[in-house]
Amino acid sequence: MSTKDTEFTIKNGILYEYRGDSSKIVIPNGVTKIASSALKEKNLEEVIIPDTVIEIGSFAFSKNNLSSIIIPESVEIIGDFAFNNNRIKYAWLSEGVKTIGDYAFYHNQITQLILPDTLEEIGCNAFNSNKIKKIMIPSKIKVIKNGAFLLNELDTVIFSDDIEKIQEEAFKYNKIKNCFFMGKVESIDNTSFDTNTKRYVKKKVGVDVNE
């Protein structure tokens, strides 16, 4: 897989546009930011992101045909809608990612997902409409926003530390049987776990947070 650097519009380390027609591309080394909508609707099937990229802008890879994506350790920010409406089954998020924006991975086919320990924020509906079966929420995440994991196939959720708030429909329409809170939880919206096999389930201390 090769791509000519001349097919990209890059200024001051920011990639603004891809003008080629290949479905498999390598983003040039030295790019530090992929601008908003830079690679939107390009019929991309495969992309390699270099370890110089720090930020992936909103809609950057929206509406392509990507089946997998590897986010390198250099990336700190994944913008809103960055990878929405692809066909991603495998998403590798390396340690270093701090923010995942609203609808960032909306409407894909992700089955397995490991969130990095560096992650501090998961946006609204970030992983809505995927096929994730199990998830561990890292300790730096304190709020699970609206619809973050709505419409998946989750059967197990583990919160690795204290949680301040789980917002509306965060885990609605899943198949959750086991939900472990390894620390305190301050607030759970009534709709957070709607339509699961069993609502919230177990706390570390052994007390059910229950119907």
Side-chain angles (χ1 to χ4, degrees):
M1 181 169 59
S2 63
T3 317
K4 296 178 181 178
D5 288 3
T6 54
E7 294 177 327
F8 295 95
T9 299
I10 301 170
K11 295 180 181 179
N12 298 319
I14 302 175
L15 192 162
Y16 288 99
E17 184 183 14
Y18 170 61
R19 300 183 306 280
D21 56 9
S22 176
S23 63
K24 300 179 180 181
I25 67 169
V26 178
I27 293 173
N29 195 42
V31 168
T32 57
K33 179 179 179 178
I34 301 170
S36 298
S37 302
L39 297 161
K40 181 181 179 181
E41 295 182 274
K42 296 292 185 180
N43 296 313
L44 298 177
E45 296 177 1
E46 188 174 346
V47 62
I48 295 177
I49 300 172
D51 60 6
T52 55
V53 173
I54 298 171
E55 181 176 353
I56 298 172
S58 58
F59 296 95
F61 294 94
S62 177
K63 297 182 179 180
N64 280 287
N65 299 311
L66 297 173
S67 60
S68 65
I69 191 68
I70 298 175
I71 306 296
E73 293 181 358
S74 58
V75 174
E76 297 180 3
I77 300 171
I78 299 173
D80 299 346
F81 297 91
F83 293 94
N84 78 299
N85 289 90
N86 275 270
R87 301 175 182 177
I88 298 172
K89 294 181 180 180
Y90 172 82
W92 179 268
L93 307 180
S94 298
E95 295 293 332
V97 176
K98 295 180 179 179
T99 302
I100 297 174
D102 297 347
Y103 292 90
F105 290 91
Y106 170 73
H107 204 278
N108 278 279
Q109 300 173 25
I110 299 170
T111 56
Q112 293 183 322
L113 179 67
I114 298 176
L115 298 176
D117 290 337
T118 53
L119 190 61
E120 299 174 359
E121 181 178 359
I122 301 173
C124 297
N125 295 285
F127 295 97
N128 183 339
S129 299
N130 278 276
K131 297 180 179 181
I132 303 166
K133 299 183 185 301
K134 181 177 180 179
I135 195 71
M136 177 176 282
I137 306 299
S139 62
K140 291 183 179 180
I141 297 292
K142 299 304 177 186
V143 176
I144 308 296
K145 295 186 177 180
N146 300 355
F149 294 94
L150 177 72
L151 281 166
N152 275 271
E153 297 179 4
L154 287 167
D155 62 20
T156 301
V157 179
I158 301 171
F159 297 89
S160 59
D161 207 335
D162 295 349
I163 291 289
E164 294 176 5
K165 189 172 184 178
I166 302 176
Q167 295 183 346
E168 294 90 340
E169 301 186 342
F171 295 95
K172 189 175 182 178
Y173 295 121
N174 278 279
K175 302 175 182 179
I176 297 171
K177 297 177 182 178
N178 299 295
C179 183
F180 299 99
F181 295 89
M182 308 308 288
K184 297 178 182 179
V185 55
E186 296 181 12
S187 173
I188 301 176
D189 185 84
N190 289 336
T191 65
S192 297
F193 291 88
D194 270 2
T195 66
N196 280 277
T197 303
K198 188 176 182 182
R199 287 192 177 180
Y200 339 117
V201 189
K202 300 175 182 177
K203 294 183 75 173
K204 182 180 180 183
V205 295
V207 177
D208 282 354
V209 183
N210 240 330
E211 309 87 0

